[in-house]
Amino acid sequence: MKNTVCSLTYSDVNMFEGVHSDIQTVIALGATPCHVNSAIHVQDVLMEGVSDKIFSAQLDSIFAKDAPAVLKIGFLASREQVQLVCKKIQDQKAQQGDNAFVLYTPSKLDFDVEGRQEASIHELIKTHLLPLLDLLIVNAKEVFSFSGHMLITPQSLSESTQALLSKGCKSVLICGGDLDFMDGRCVDYYADGTRTIALSSARLNVLNVLNVLNVASKKAILGSALASALALEYVLEDAFVIAKAYLNRYLKDANKENFCAYSRAWPDLKEDFPTWVNVECDIDDELTLMGASNLDFPSCQTLNLGLYAVMDSLFWLEKVLKCGVKTVQLRIKDKKPEQVEEQIKQAIILARSFDARLFINDYWQLAIKHGAYGVHLGQQDIDSADLRLISDAGLRLGLSTHGYAEILRAQQFNPSYIALGHVFATQTKDMPSAPQGLTRLKQYVDLLSGTPTVAIGGINLVRAPAVYQTGVGSVAVVSAITGASDIADVVQQFKQMQRSSLC
């Protein structure tokens, strides 16, 4: 079921725990909730699992037609429940069609005060459930319980996730709010065997004692927020960012006297979003977590770069420059530097003669050598390019992004502008990601207030007015110009649209 999150956990008389808390989060983020009750819990006084018959009937009802987009597993009350849910997941994965994304975030009821889970259930979860998971979300105690690793250094994050991945789950997210070596920061660490992502926020706790009983487990909220974003078809790394921002706002609000858990909504405040943490390994394979870079690229001296023409030759650059376009990019793909050097040199001279901003795509060494105005890099080029050398040469830097996570990664380098795409489907280049659409574009623009932004991907004269209404500073176009019969007229129409949007 599209956009649906199924929460499988306990029900409590306190509306801020268990399945009720999950439902509140799912609704707040705009997804559709459904649930399976595994047990009835009475505020740490009494807990009783539902019968196997009731539990099985709930699962059958939820999966009768289409599977939910996400199955979020919390508390499992018995070995039989573990076996039933594992069988349901296996049957569902064996069927053709869309499978539910399965994540497991152990509940506070799963472990005693010393982090122990009932041995027979715990072993069954390790051997049968973990291999079926798309994502396991755990804290430090649970990491030790499942893997035997203690989280005492940054390196132990890598070692413990590798141990958990070896048990069969596809990915692991370690919640870092209780890690002593983080110096007052909450660094959550994700790994899937091929990539690692770490996001950092100030460590937040609920200090208002009047609200403590009405605040759900932080890990449970993070899990249900992440599940909701996945159900709304955000990629996992973006869902991670959304969940972290949502939790930060929830915890800040919980310290207010008029706190109301029902008033939660989509995270849209810049101060709630985490920062990207670089995960690096030294020559001894020791993992370190590095904060933002100290790079600072020159400003473009405006938040509105105007119509941004992305062209692949000197021929087209000259055409758009003669039509009054003041921001251009030379994007020549898959050529050796010696094959493009003369074109880049001439493009820089040409742009200067029109007093225009010219960004060179990819070929940053040649851009430095010949004194270009700036360089544009894709996400895949950030690691290979020498950003320090580009900065020291005084060149501006533009970076491509395709969602929340890449925006956070780009922000740490303090670029001159950030490109947001692709907004619509485009035939100009092969894109690994899905179109972002106008709603997400508006979210990204709001997050980047104060930073020059450029929307790109499938934008034409028909779509441009709605794109400008998001508040984006500039619109990048390719085929809207190269496919036009009257280039000068198209350029003037784009310019008029932007002027109108600024009024």
Side-chain angles (χ1 to χ4, degrees), residues 254-304:
N255 281 312
K256 299 177 181 178
E257 290 186 6
N258 60 346
F259 169 66
C260 176
Y262 295 110
S263 63
R264 293 181 265 172
W266 189 270
D268 58 4
L269 298 177
K270 292 175 66 173
E271 63 265 27
D272 295 333
F273 279 79
T275 55
W276 184 275
V277 179
N278 288 314
V279 181
E280 299 178 358
C281 291
D282 62 19
I283 57 175
D284 297 319
D285 238 10
E286 286 292 316
L287 180 143
T288 57
L289 302 174
M290 306 292 292
S293 72
N294 58 357
L295 297 172
D296 192 11
F297 289 89
S299 168
C300 295
Q301 302 300 318
T302 179
L303 293 176
N304 303 306

Side-chain angles (χ1 to χ4, degrees), residues 21-292:
S21 174
D22 285 352
I23 290 173
Q24 291 167 31
T25 298
V26 173
I27 292 174
L29 289 174
T32 302
C34 61
H35 67 278
V36 172
N37 277 333
S38 60
I40 306 298
H41 181 251
V42 185
Q43 295 194 340
D44 298 327
V45 176
L46 182 66
M47 188 279 292
E48 184 173 320
V50 303
S51 70
D52 295 345
K53 183 177 181 180
I54 290 294
F55 185 79
S56 180
Q58 291 179 89
L59 284 176
D60 289 343
S61 177
I62 292 296
F63 286 89
K65 293 183 180 180
D66 297 325
V70 181
L71 173 61
K72 176 186 180 286
I73 302 171
F75 179 64
L76 292 167
S78 66
R79 287 177 54 86
E80 290 72 21
Q81 287 189 4
V82 177
Q83 292 169 333
L84 285 167
V85 76
C86 287
K87 179 66 165 55
K88 182 60 69 176
I89 294 170
Q90 289 170 329
D91 290 346
Q92 191 249 337
K93 288 182 179 292
Q95 298 174 0
Q96 293 184 346
D98 295 331
N99 293 325
F101 183 99
V102 182
L103 68 86
Y104 173 45
T105 173
S107 160
K108 69 177 186 179
L109 303 187
D110 282 315
F111 295 87
D112 64 19
V113 292
E114 296 187 3
R116 295 189 297 260
Q117 188 176 44
E118 182 182 328
S120 62
I121 299 177
H122 186 65
E123 288 305 312
L124 197 61
I125 287 175
K126 286 203 295 185
T127 57
H128 287 65
L129 182 59
L130 292 193
L132 300 175
L133 297 179
D134 294 297
L135 175 63
L136 171 66
I137 304 178
V138 284
N139 59 25
K141 286 183 178 179
E142 293 155 358
V143 166
F144 180 75
S145 179
F146 282 120
S147 71
H149 286 264
M150 297 185 68
L151 298 178
I152 54 177
T153 66
Q155 179 63 19
S156 63
L157 287 170
S158 175
E159 295 166 350
S160 60
T161 52
Q162 290 174 23
L164 292 168
L165 290 171
S166 71
K167 297 185 182 299
C169 47
K170 292 182 181 178
S171 59
V172 176
L173 173 56
I174 297 176
C175 298
D178 53 358
L179 299 180
D180 293 334
F181 58 84
M182 291 303 180
D183 296 328
R185 303 292 295 176
C186 174
V187 177
D188 296 334
Y189 181 87
Y190 168 89
D192 61 12
T194 59
R195 60 178 176 169
T196 55
I197 300 172
L199 300 178
S200 174
S201 300
R203 188 173 293 176
L204 299 170
N205 293 302
V206 180
L207 303 177
N208 187 336
V209 295
L210 295 177
N211 292 330
V212 168
L213 292 178
N214 291 336
V215 175
S217 158
K218 289 184 280 188
K219 181 166 64 68
I221 296 172
L222 184 78
S224 53
L226 194 152
S228 301
L230 287 173
L232 295 172
E233 300 182 341
Y234 285 87
V235 295
L236 198 149
E237 57 266 35
D238 288 347
F240 181 13
V241 173
I242 293 165
K244 185 93 165 150
Y246 179 87
L247 176 60
N248 287 340
R249 172 46 46 191
Y250 177 89
L251 293 174
K252 291 174 184 176
D253 286 346
N255 281 312
K256 299 177 181 178
E257 290 186 6
N258 60 346
F259 169 66
C260 176
Y262 295 110
S263 63
R264 293 181 265 172
W266 189 270
D268 58 4
L269 298 177
K270 292 175 66 173
E271 63 265 27
D272 295 333
F273 279 79
T275 55
W276 184 275
V277 179
N278 288 314
V279 181
E280 299 178 358
C281 291
D282 62 19
I283 57 175
D284 297 319
D285 238 10
E286 286 292 316
L287 180 143
T288 57
L289 302 174
M290 306 292 292

